[in-house]
Amino acid sequence: MQLQEILYSQGFGTRRVCSGLVEQGWVALGEPAQICRDPWLECEPEGLVFWVQGQRWTHQRLAYLMLHKPAGYECSQKPGAWPSVYSLLPSPLRQRPGGAASGVQAVGRLDQDTTGLLLLSDDGAFIHRMASPRHHVPKVYELTCKHPLQADQIERLLQGVVLDDDPKPVRAAACEAVDAHHLRLTLTEGKYHQVKRMLAAVGNRVEALHRSRIGPVTLPDDLKAGEWRWLTPEQVQSLQARQSTPLVAAAHVHPDAI
């Protein structure tokens, strides 16, 4: 595969722009990095390490990454009152060619005031599987509650509550009162503002909301708000597994919580 074609596939601009980057000496290959000025050089893309304007990249046929979403950002390509989470990503990830839309896309959304784990990809089948409610991918949320948690609130969340737009009850797959105002809630479906509405339905209120896990992938402690990183091949494989790990609905109340 020609070097300029590899750069184009990774989102570094049009083929002409990518050829220009190479010809002007902005692209290097390997480790240690060696400048290459031949845009038509044939390279093996699989596992290729390359440098563009001093930044290290590895070839990714499809992009799978995680982002620690900070508060104050919208999960939208066309944000309104708040900046877009996509502005936190380098331009090659936003420009990768393919599909109906260029660049990586968020797997589902988090409200502008919600923080935590957000997955992004340019693999349409992966996005659909992760976002589809029929696949029951568990998502774990850490809630800061306005009022002290009560045992009956935990029980109602597990049994199911009715939201105002659907007569069918929605229920938590697991529920744990970590302390008096900290609730850990696991859901396997996603409705508009579901976590906030579920807590309101049992007579409490969400003061802060953070997503800590999606399926088997947990937000790393060392990934700071606003930072991103590639998912490992093992993480991608576990997310793509045919069967999601079943969760048994369970409640746990910390002895000091209530």
Side-chain angles (χ1 to χ4, degrees):
M1 191 173 182
Q2 293 179 350
L3 180 55
Q4 57 93 19
E5 190 70 23
I6 290 175
L7 295 179
Y8 167 73
S9 74
Q10 301 300 286
F12 287 92
T14 64
R15 291 176 175 85
R16 178 175 294 182
V17 167
C18 292
S19 291
L21 286 171
V22 178
E23 291 169 345
Q24 293 168 33
W26 289 113
V27 178
L29 300 177
E31 293 180 302
Q34 299 291 322
I35 292 176
C36 177
R37 295 181 181 269
D38 180 4
W40 297 280
L41 178 70
E42 291 289 338
C43 301
E44 171 55 50
E46 187 69 26
L48 179 67
V49 175
F50 60 97
W51 304 74
V52 179
Q53 296 179 313
Q55 184 172 359
R56 184 185 186 277
W57 293 85
T58 58
H59 177 269
Q60 305 283 345
R61 187 180 68 83
L62 292 169
Y64 305 95
L65 53 139
M66 65 170 72
L67 171 74
H68 185 166
K69 180 192 173 296
Y73 284 82
E74 294 182 25
C75 294
S76 172
Q77 297 278 12
K78 298 179 179 179
W82 305 89
S84 170
V85 292
Y86 297 100
S87 67
L88 299 170
L89 301 175
S91 59
L93 291 176
R94 304 196 306 266
Q95 297 172 174
R96 287 172 63 95
S102 63
V104 296
Q105 307 296 316
V107 180
R109 296 192 174 198
L110 293 176
D111 297 338
Q112 63 83 15
D113 59 345
T114 301
T115 63
L117 180 60
L118 185 67
L119 302 181
L120 301 102
S121 179
D122 58 357
D123 181 346
F126 173 83
I127 294 173
H128 174 73
R129 177 174 179 77
M130 290 297 101
S132 174
R134 74 185 184 89
H135 288 296
H136 304 292
V137 178
K139 301 173 180 66
V140 180
Y141 297 87
E142 312 293 333
L143 288 65
T144 301
C145 306
K146 181 175 182 179
H147 307 295
L149 290 160
Q150 305 297 322
D152 68 310
Q153 293 176 338
I154 304 294
E155 187 61 30
R156 289 178 62 193
L157 289 169
L158 288 167
Q159 290 181 350
V161 295
V162 175
L163 306 180
D164 55 16
D165 63 345
D166 190 347
K168 183 180 178 181
V170 293
R171 57 181 56 85
C175 205
E176 176 186 358
V178 180
D179 62 38
H181 291 270
H182 178 185
L183 179 68
R184 181 169 296 126
L185 188 70
T186 301
L187 301 178
T188 58
E189 56 185 322
K191 295 179 178 290
Y192 181 70
H193 290 168
Q194 181 175 343
V195 175
K196 297 174 181 177
R197 293 162 67 202
M198 287 179 70
L199 204 63
V202 299
N204 213 317
R205 177 177 171 178
V206 175
E207 293 284 273
L209 182 58
H210 177 85
R211 185 159 68 193
S212 59
R213 183 167 67 88
I214 298 176
V217 176
T218 300
L219 183 68
D221 292 336
D222 62 347
L223 188 65
K224 298 177 182 178
E227 293 182 344
W228 70 277
R229 70 178 51 160
W230 298 105
L231 293 176
T232 66
E234 293 76 19
Q235 287 173 325
V236 175
Q237 185 177 13
S238 65
L239 286 165
Q240 291 177 324
R242 291 180 60 86
Q243 298 294 332
S244 299
T245 301
L247 284 177
V248 178
H252 174 74
V253 180
H254 190 279
D256 297 329
I258 298 175

